[in-house]
Amino acid sequence: MARLKALRRSYAPLLLGIFLLVAPHVMSHYQFYVLQKGVQTAIHVLGLLILIGYTGMLSLGSAALLATGAYTYGILSVKLGLSPWLCAVAAVVFTTVVGTALAFPSFRLAGPFLVVTTVGFGEIVRILILNLEPVTGGAYGLAGFQNLLPTNMWVYHLMLVVLLLVAIGTERLGKSRIGLALKAIRQDEIAAEVMGVNVKRAKVVAFALSAMLAGVSGVFLANLTGYMSPDSFTGAESTTFLLMVVISGMNSAVAAIVSSIILTWLPEVLR
């Protein structure tokens, strides 16, 4: 049994990598688009793996952070005409700042009270998008922004590189000192603090990393779809992202990637 687990850990990432590299060449255009969405979603879910899986802090407002990254990229591109790469960096930085601010309520709230706070944050962001129509396009959505790279295939390969780096970083984080501190908070926050863990700093790090990856994923989402609408960032989307983390076992980056791709594909297969 131990040998089987070792083989699975060794070969699962390799098989996943081969699939992601080969699949675009044997898929239809629409199937390739769904695969791209799965890879883009996986980047976001890896951020939730850090926040929910490692730290144990449930969030049902993750779609709002995804929207923050996507809309910041789109607004800077459409309204200000900035370089796509500059828009991408600004979107990731701004989303990280917004997400980090969510860590402060977690200092005093936990469990269902923190979940309600994140739900409220998600609704606030969605309502702002709807009502700031001159900036966001409101219910009509936002379109017309420039892409980072000339073709979808180039964007896909860029996403694969980012996904690889994020997956390696997530796995290494889980085994590092700060990763062990996050897992200690998940088990028992008071005990972790007694043992010398700086709980507040660890929570800020978890929220910041999760928000940063949401921003990166939001930028890629804007590039893939070419159009953004408030209907794409509802509470139902946040619940789906949470489901992806839970199904993955909340402890493995490879499993989180696989669950993200499968649950992105599944609605299209059953449609």
Side-chain angles (χ1 to χ4, degrees), residues 57 98-109 114 200-208:
M57 291 185 290
V98 172
T100 303
L102 282 175
F104 295 99
S106 72
F107 295 164
R108 294 184 175 275
L109 300 174
L114 180 60
K200 291 183 178 180
R201 183 177 67 182
K203 287 184 176 182
V204 168
V205 170
F207 271 99

Side-chain angles (χ1 to χ4, degrees), residues 42-241:
I43 297 173
H44 179 46
V45 171
L46 286 176
L48 291 178
L49 177 64
I50 297 172
L51 182 65
I52 300 173
Y54 290 176
T55 319
M57 291 185 290
L58 290 178
S59 172
L60 285 176
S62 57
L65 290 173
L66 189 67
T68 302
Y71 268 92
T72 302
Y73 176 85
I75 290 168
L76 292 177
S77 178
V78 173
K79 304 298 181 179
L80 300 182
L82 299 180
S83 161
W85 290 97
L86 182 59
C87 294
V89 172
V92 173
V93 171
F94 181 65
T95 306
T96 303
V97 172
V98 172
T100 303
L102 282 175
F104 295 99
S106 72
F107 295 164
R108 294 184 175 275
L109 300 174
F113 303 103
L114 180 60
V115 173
V116 171
T117 302
T118 60
V119 170
F121 168 73
E123 283 302 300
I124 289 171
V125 171
R126 191 180 66 84
I127 291 171
L128 284 175
I129 293 173
L130 280 170
N131 286 282
L132 296 176
E133 187 173 324
V135 179
T136 64
Y140 298 102
L142 185 66
F145 35 84
Q146 304 177 57
N147 287 341
L148 290 171
L149 296 171
T151 67
N152 285 338
M153 185 62 76
W154 287 23
V155 173
Y156 175 72
H157 285 120
L158 177 60
M159 284 196 299
L160 288 185
V161 172
V162 172
L163 181 63
L164 174 63
L165 295 176
V166 171
I168 293 173
T170 303
E171 287 289 338
R172 291 181 66 87
L173 175 67
K175 299 173 183 177
S176 68
R177 183 174 180 179
I178 190 168
L180 295 176
L182 296 176
K183 292 177 181 179
I185 294 172
R186 179 191 65 193
Q187 296 298 328
D188 192 318
E189 185 175 323
I190 297 176
E193 191 167 14
V194 170
M195 294 299 293
V197 175
N198 190 328
V199 173
K200 291 183 178 180
R201 183 177 67 182
K203 287 184 176 182
V204 168
V205 170
F207 271 99
L209 290 175
S210 179
M212 179 185 70
L213 294 180
V216 173
S217 181
V219 170
F220 283 129
L221 177 63
N223 277 263
L224 292 179
T225 60
Y227 169 79
M228 290 173 297
S229 166
D231 295 335
S232 302
F233 306 102
T234 62
E237 295 297 318
S238 295
T239 304
T240 301
F241 297 142

